[in-house]
Amino acid sequence: MEEDTDYRIRFSSLCFFNDHVGFHGTIKSSPSDFIVIEIDEQGQLVNKTIDEPIFKISEIQLEPNNFPKKPKLDLQNLSLEDGRNQEVHTLIKYTDGDQNHQSGSEKEDTIVDGTSKCEEKADVLSSFLDEKTHELLNNFACDVREKWLSKTELIGLPPEFSIGRILDKNQRASLHSAIRQKFPFLITVGKNSEIVVKPNLEYKELCHLVSEEEAFDFFKYLDAKKENSKFTFKPDTNKDHRKAVHHFVNKKFGNLVETKSFSEMNCSAGNPNVVVTVRFREKAHKRGKRPLSECQEGKVIYTAFTLRKENLEMFEAIGFLAIKLGVIPSDFSYAGLKDKKAITYQAMVVRKVTPERLKNIEKEIEKKRMNVFNIRSVDDSLRLGQLKGNHFDIVIRNLKKQINDSANLRERIMEAIENVKKKGFVNYYGPQRFGKGRKVHTDQIGLALLKNEMMKAIKLFLTPEDLDDPVNRAKKYFLQTEDAKGTLSLMPEFKVRERALLEALHRFGMTKEGCIQAWFSLPHSMRIFYVHAYTSKIWNEAVSYRLETYGARVVQGDLVCLDEDIDDENFPNSKIHLVTEEEGSANMYAIHQVVLPILGYNIQYPKNKVGQWYHDILSRDGLQTCRFKVPTLKLNVPGCYRQILKHPRNLSYQLMEDHDIDVKTKGSHIGETALSLLISFDLDASCYATVCLKEIMKHDV
């Protein structure tokens, strides 16, 4: 196909380890020709039905009064001491769940009720601090606030006040919270069991945009982290001012909360008031209230299931499931990525969704060629790499000999398979790791992220291919105009990632900060995927250079893994050994023990030409000083090691004539027998069947 040309050229330069001739054939003629089944950590295929009773949420309904209530501090009528008695008035403007905004009188009732309950509690600060320290803390708070109110700038480093060392961890946590709740214009920092109090400069910055009582309430709300709660600033008719408030909150706290504007009708005047509302991100994308039974005592619900999908990209499948379940894509966790043009089975876990609710959408998702089964409750999410490997059942059609090869085709096929079964294959990352785009590959986006080039990464992500379809027309429009809102109207609904980025860009603008927020609209697993694509590409180039330079010999300066039982990439540095000159000369190690580092901040490099090659590549790509951390996106890349050779396990195969498997090869003539190969094998996690097949066939697949 035309669109595959670029990535095939890119992978045609990868070298082979075996010296057999190989053969030609076609894979993925249809999704059913390429079946992938995940193998879990216990070695079980995830498509097997689990004989476990389905968890029924209805069996343990909870009464509302059974929920534990968090202790509250007396925050309504606090005063700053030292004789000044500057009373801090609060107007509580946050509500539980998705309740409608309350009227002024209703809010006052809420305050009175809340205050009476709080007054029953002891003063947390007084219970932990002696009288003198308590008084000094109040004086420090008054001094800071007095300077701000008098517009006096703090010269030099911000002042600090030490509470002293608090050895009990729980007491420290309570004190941190109590101080920030009583004095939202202060922050607390822990230093080796010591609590240090400083001015909250972000509080001061917000006071330039809103009233001090609003800033006070907002930071108190933020620190309380009350689930399902909202905070509403006062009504504001100035659009530019509201935009500035949106920008401040999202710039400073965009990882934790999100903001939206709502119109409220003023009953007396009949005029719409626009308010900026803040809510915590974890609940930001709910499609309405969840049943009480799904919020058992604040405990997060995790539901595991097996996902079967056909001819569907994994991220697209997750996006569709998220919409149907009323959660966000980052609520899904999985052990590994799976092919698009295939039938795949994989384990998944979704947060905040009950098994019963997941079962309710089974019929709807069948229309998207998806099925879910083995639905059950579990205690935690999955993490990438939490699997033993994958099982593959593959049909290779259109089998032919290599050009000018006079040998028997059946013999060639058997020779190739037995060779790879015995000697293994080069453990390259497959082309699906990098995307099939002709213009932009995922590794280029990853490199831009590592270099903190956020705007460039966004533009690379939205670079169109030379195709005239709605998706590429929308991308082309964006690169020409940078009009996120207009592009959203053109971008098809099923492009979940693209639309998430565009919605964020529309809200925050096409600035560096706006692009950072746009990347945060994607789950962490997706953000780190692009960085891993870059490090995977470099590893592919490194192993080619290693084999071209030293072949199958293990030489001085190579890195080898000393643990024969490790079958993944999580080698600790203690298991990695640097081959000495004597060991290299004595042939102490075999080539299958050799590993190469995947770039990161916690790896060592080979001490030979390959190590120098790594440093040259980092210089080429402008990463000489890269620490492989992107704090703005919360990405840390420690790096790891990958074996340069792998072997397929449990390999079996069968040659069949096409009529035996009920498929006629397109263009075949009557009387001409077309052969197909049915091959099955297991591979360790992060190994690619297409790479193994390429080694067997000595031909691009």
Side-chain angles (χ1 to χ4, degrees):
M1 292 176 62
E2 177 69 13
E3 64 196 53
D4 296 337
T5 305
D6 188 69
Y7 88 85
R8 286 188 172 178
I9 290 172
R10 198 173 190 205
F11 283 84
S12 63
S13 60
L14 304 184
C15 60
F16 297 112
F17 186 68
N18 294 279
D19 57 5
H20 58 263
V21 174
F23 55 93
H24 285 239
T26 304
I27 69 166
K28 297 189 177 182
S29 297
S30 70
S32 60
D33 280 357
F34 203 94
I35 298 174
V36 187
I37 307 169
E38 208 166 75
I39 305 171
D40 66 22
E41 291 183 306
Q42 288 70 47
Q44 301 298 312
L45 297 175
V46 300
N47 67 330
K48 303 296 183 186
T49 303
I50 298 173
D51 295 325
E52 183 177 325
I54 297 298
F55 174 80
K56 294 284 187 184
I57 201 76
S58 56
E59 294 172 5
I60 53 169
Q61 293 284 356
L62 298 173
E63 294 297 322
N65 293 334
N66 290 343
F67 287 100
K69 300 216 180 324
K70 295 181 181 178
K72 297 180 180 179
L73 300 175
D74 184 358
L75 303 169
Q76 316 305 329
N77 297 299
L78 296 174
S79 62
L80 298 175
E81 297 177 14
D82 196 24
R84 287 171 278 243
N85 198 31
Q86 301 173 38
E87 189 172 1
V88 182
H89 296 285
T90 65
L91 291 174
I92 302 302
K93 291 184 285 294
Y94 58 87
T95 59
D96 290 342
D98 292 327
Q99 294 171 1
N100 295 326
H101 298 290
Q102 297 171 308
S103 67
S105 61
E106 288 172 326
K107 286 182 180 176
E108 288 173 9
D109 291 341
T110 305
I111 293 168
V112 172
D113 181 60
T115 304
S116 63
K117 290 179 181 177
C118 288
E119 285 172 346
E120 296 173 6
K121 306 291 183 182
D123 185 340
V124 175
L125 291 178
S126 298
S127 66
F128 286 132
L129 301 179
D130 60 72
E131 188 175 344
K132 183 178 180 181
T133 305
H134 197 176
E135 181 181 355
L136 290 172
L137 172 62
N138 277 303
N139 291 344
F140 174 79
C142 285
D143 288 341
V144 169
R145 190 161 176 268
E146 208 170 53
K147 284 186 172 67
W148 283 354
L149 291 175
S150 65
K151 310 295 185 186
T152 303
E153 291 297 324
L154 297 172
I155 300 173
L157 293 173
E160 294 184 356
F161 174 74
S162 175
I163 297 294
R165 295 189 68 195
I166 310 294
L167 298 180
D168 185 272
K169 184 178 179 181
N170 293 329
Q171 286 188 11
R172 282 202 309 274
S174 297
L175 264 175
H176 276 292
S177 178
I179 293 168
R180 293 195 303 265
Q181 283 280 299
K182 184 171 183 178
F183 308 115
F185 49 88
L186 300 178
I187 58 171
T188 57
V189 180
K191 293 182 179 178
N192 299 322
S193 302
E194 179 188 13
I195 295 179
V196 177
V197 185
K198 300 179 181 181
N200 185 346
L201 300 181
E202 291 169 343
Y203 179 97
K204 183 181 180 183
E205 190 177 342
L206 182 59
C207 284
H208 292 310
L209 295 172
V210 300
S211 67
E212 198 201 351
E213 70 175 10
E214 287 179 282
F216 188 98
D217 289 348
F218 172 72
F219 277 93
K220 184 180 65 176
Y221 158 81
L222 204 62
D223 184 68
K225 295 184 176 66
K226 190 176 181 183
E227 262 191 305
N228 303 327
S229 62
K230 297 178 183 178
F231 177 89
T232 303
F233 289 99
K234 290 179 180 178
D236 189 351
T237 57
N238 188 322
K239 184 176 180 180
D240 290 337
H241 184 258
R242 292 198 306 272
K243 189 173 181 180
V245 174
H246 280 295
H247 182 73
F248 171 84
V249 174
N250 285 289
K251 179 182 179 182
K252 301 293 185 182
F253 313 106
N255 301 346
L256 184 64
V257 298
E258 71 167 7
T259 61
K260 287 188 177 180
S261 291
F262 292 96
S263 294
E264 293 186 333
M265 292 301 297
N266 186 319
C267 297
S268 59
N271 295 323
N273 282 328
V274 180
V275 294
V276 176
T277 295
V278 183
R279 56 182 176 181
F280 287 104
R281 277 197 175 276
E282 189 176 35
K283 303 297 180 184
H285 293 264
K286 292 197 305 180
R287 311 289 181 185
K289 281 190 171 182
R290 299 189 185 284
L292 174 67
S293 55
E294 295 193 15
C295 307
Q296 308 164 45
E297 300 184 359
K299 182 181 177 183
V300 178
I301 293 170
Y302 295 95
T303 295
F305 61 98
T306 297
L307 172 68
R308 179 196 185 274
K309 63 179 181 64
E310 179 177 341
N311 201 27
L312 194 63
E313 188 187 45
M314 196 188 80
F315 291 131
E316 186 181 340
I318 288 175
F320 186 78
L321 288 171
I323 291 170
K324 291 298 178 186
L325 293 168
V327 294
I328 55 178
S330 57
D331 285 324
F332 290 83
S333 56
Y334 41 84
L337 306 180
K338 297 292 176 280
D339 300 71
K340 176 185 176 182
K341 194 172 182 181
I343 295 175
T344 66
Y345 297 82
Q346 65 188 117
M348 280 198 178
V349 172
V350 59
R351 294 190 307 159
K352 301 179 289 187
V353 173
T354 62
E356 191 172 64
R357 206 155 139 252
L358 181 58
K359 283 183 68 66
N360 287 340
I361 67 165
E362 284 181 305
K363 294 294 182 185
E364 288 184 80
I365 65 175
E366 285 177 4
K367 301 170 187 174
K368 289 285 287 185
R369 304 178 304 281
M370 287 191 286
N371 302 94
V372 290
F373 56 99
N374 287 339
I375 301 170
R376 62 205 184 278
S377 288
V378 291
D379 295 327
D380 207 349
S381 55
L382 283 169
R383 66 180 189 279
L384 284 172
Q386 196 177 340
L387 73 165
K388 191 175 181 66
N390 292 285
H391 173 80
F392 298 89
D393 293 315
I394 298 168
V395 179
I396 307 175
R397 303 189 187 279
N398 269 348
L399 297 176
K400 298 174 184 176
K401 294 181 288 186
Q402 300 278 22
I403 298 172
N404 299 324
D405 181 15
S406 58
N408 179 276
L409 176 59
R410 291 174 183 265
E411 291 177 1
R412 283 291 188 227
I413 293 170
M414 293 172 63
E415 171 197 39
I417 294 173
E418 293 300 327
N419 240 0
V420 172
K421 185 177 179 180
K422 179 181 178 181
K423 299 180 182 178
F425 60 94
V426 185
N427 191 23
Y428 289 116
Y429 287 97
Q432 54 269 54
R433 183 86 166 189
F434 311 98
K436 292 187 177 182
R438 291 170 59 89
K439 288 189 175 181
V440 176
H441 296 276
T442 53
D443 58 271
Q444 294 170 269
I445 298 171
L447 176 58
L449 293 176
L450 281 173
K451 296 169 78 171
N452 217 29
E453 297 173 341
M454 299 299 165
M455 293 180 70
K456 180 179 179 180
I458 289 287
K459 288 181 178 180
L460 286 170
F461 184 89
L462 292 172
T463 296
E465 297 295 330
D466 293 327
L467 298 170
D468 187 25
D469 57 54
V471 173
N472 285 292
R473 285 197 293 272
K475 289 182 176 181
K476 185 177 180 180
Y477 174 80
F478 178 80
L479 288 193
Q480 290 172 341
T481 65
E482 293 187 2
D483 173 14
K485 185 177 181 181
T487 309
L488 265 173
S489 67
L490 299 173
M491 187 65 68
E493 291 287 338
F494 71 88
K495 300 303 287 185
V496 177
R497 283 172 290 172
E498 286 81 355
R499 291 187 62 84
L501 281 178
L502 289 166
E503 285 170 359
L505 290 173
H506 172 48
R507 175 176 295 179
F508 303 113
M510 189 60 180
T511 61
K512 180 174 181 179
E513 187 61 37
C515 290
I516 290 171
Q517 294 300 330
W519 282 112
F520 268 114
S521 70
L522 302 184
H524 178 272
S525 58
M526 206 175 293
R527 299 196 301 274
I528 198 72
F529 167 77
Y530 292 104
V531 176
H532 285 166
Y534 171 74
T535 59
S536 301
K537 175 213 171 196
I538 299 304
W539 192 91
N540 275 6
E541 294 176 3
V543 73
S544 290
Y545 179 81
R546 164 61 182 78
L547 291 171
E548 289 165 3
T549 304
Y550 297 119
R553 294 182 300 120
V554 181
V555 301
Q556 179 185 359
D558 271 337
L559 299 175
V560 294
C561 178
L562 299 178
D563 192 335
E564 295 283 340
D565 296 327
I566 293 181
D567 58 3
D568 61 20
E569 297 175 2
N570 298 314
F571 303 130
N573 273 312
S574 59
K575 296 289 185 182
I576 302 301
H577 173 71
L578 188 68
V579 177
T580 65
E581 183 179 0
E582 294 77 14
E583 290 169 339
S585 301
N587 295 321
M588 285 189 62
Y589 300 103
I591 188 65
H592 72 270
Q593 292 176 279
V594 175
V595 299
L596 285 176
I598 299 171
L599 294 174
Y601 59 78
N602 190 32
I603 58 164
Q604 59 176 312
Y605 294 101
K607 299 291 185 182
N608 50 31
K609 291 180 181 179
V610 181
Q612 183 56 49
W613 179 92
Y614 270 100
H615 293 298
D616 292 343
I617 289 297
L618 290 175
S619 296
R620 178 198 74 184
D621 290 346
L623 297 176
Q624 306 95 309
T625 59
C626 180
R627 296 176 59 230
F628 288 94
K629 295 182 180 182
V630 188
T632 50
L633 295 184
K634 293 190 173 182
L635 300 180
N636 292 312
V637 188
C640 53
Y641 302 90
R642 183 175 174 92
Q643 291 171 303
I644 68 173
L645 292 182
K646 279 289 186 180
H647 289 77
R649 294 177 281 105
N650 301 322
L651 189 150
S652 63
Y653 59 95
Q654 183 179 4
L655 278 168
M656 302 186 72
E657 296 181 1
D658 271 350
H659 59 74
D660 291 332
I661 50 177
D662 200 29
V663 173
K664 235 357 178 185
T665 304
K666 188 176 180 180
S668 62
H669 302 287
I670 297 173
E672 178 183 304
T673 303
L675 284 179
S676 289
L677 173 67
L678 280 67
I679 185 167
S680 297
F681 51 84
D682 298 342
L683 292 178
D684 292 333
S686 195
C687 294
Y688 290 78
T690 49
V691 173
C692 179
L693 293 177
K694 176 172 175 152
E695 181 81 40
I696 290 172
M697 298 167 67
K698 292 292 186 75
H699 174 68
D700 286 326
V701 295

